Amino acid sequence: MHEILQPEGWAKPVGYANGVAARGKLIFVGGQVGWNGQCQFETDDFVGQVRQTLLNIVAVLAEAGAGPQHITSMTWYFTDKAEYLANLRGIGEAYREVIGRHFPAMAAMQVMALVEDRAKVEIQATAVIPE
C-alpha cells in the first residue's frame, strides 16, 4: 500500500520506518491525548494513556474511511522520557493491539509539558488512503 524507504546498508529499524512514500487522500490527525471522547481521563497510567491515545487516532481515521494501515507518519510527545523508556514493553503491546504490525515513519520526543496537565503523551499522525 505504501512504499517503505530503507536506504541500502542501513540497519533495519525496530518499531518504525525511516521513511514512507505514499500517494492518495491525505488525512492529518491533530495531536491526540489519552482521554476518552468526552475529554475525560480514565487513567494516569502511562501505557493506559498511550492505548487510549492510539484508539483516539484510529477513531479519527475511521471518520475519513481510513484505518491504522494508512498511517504514514506519527510524532509522539511525552512529558517523561524515563517513564516512556520504562514502559516500552507495555507501549509495544498497546501499539500492536490497536495499530497492529504497521510501523510508519516516527519521531518521539520529551517535552516540558502538554496543554492538558493530566496528559502524559500526545500523538499526531498523518495517513494516506491510496488512490
Side-chain angles (χ1 to χ4, degrees):
M1 177 177 317
H2 302 112
E3 178 186 357
I4 302 299
L5 305 175
Q6 177 65 20
E8 187 175 332
W10 283 27
K12 185 176 180 187
V14 177
Y16 67 96
N18 285 306
V20 177
R23 175 178 292 162
K25 178 182 176 181
L26 296 173
I27 299 132
F28 301 95
V29 180
Q32 299 295 307
V33 296
W35 60 19
N36 63 27
Q38 289 68 49
C39 302
Q40 298 171 339
F41 287 93
E42 297 177 2
T43 184
D44 289 317
D45 174 69
F46 191 88
V47 173
Q49 284 198 15
V50 167
R51 180 178 286 105
Q52 184 63 55
T53 301
L54 295 171
L55 288 167
N56 294 345
I57 290 168
V58 170
V60 173
L61 291 173
E63 289 298 306
Q69 72 276 16
H70 297 111
I71 299 171
T72 55
S73 178
M74 300 175 92
T75 303
W76 296 54
Y77 307 92
F78 40 82
T79 57
D80 187 337
K81 178 182 172 183
E83 187 173 27
Y84 171 81
L85 292 173
N87 284 286
L88 287 177
R89 171 175 263 156
I91 291 167
E93 289 171 3
Y95 185 93
R96 289 186 301 278
E97 173 189 315
V98 178
I99 304 297
R101 294 201 170 272
H102 172 69
F103 303 107
M106 289 193 210
M109 65 200 77
Q110 178 177 307
V111 294
M112 291 293 296
L114 296 168
V115 172
E116 295 301 326
D117 289 334
R118 211 167 148 192
K120 295 184 174 209
V121 62
E122 183 169 335
I123 304 172
Q124 185 177 18
T126 303
V128 178
I129 300 174
E131 298 176 325

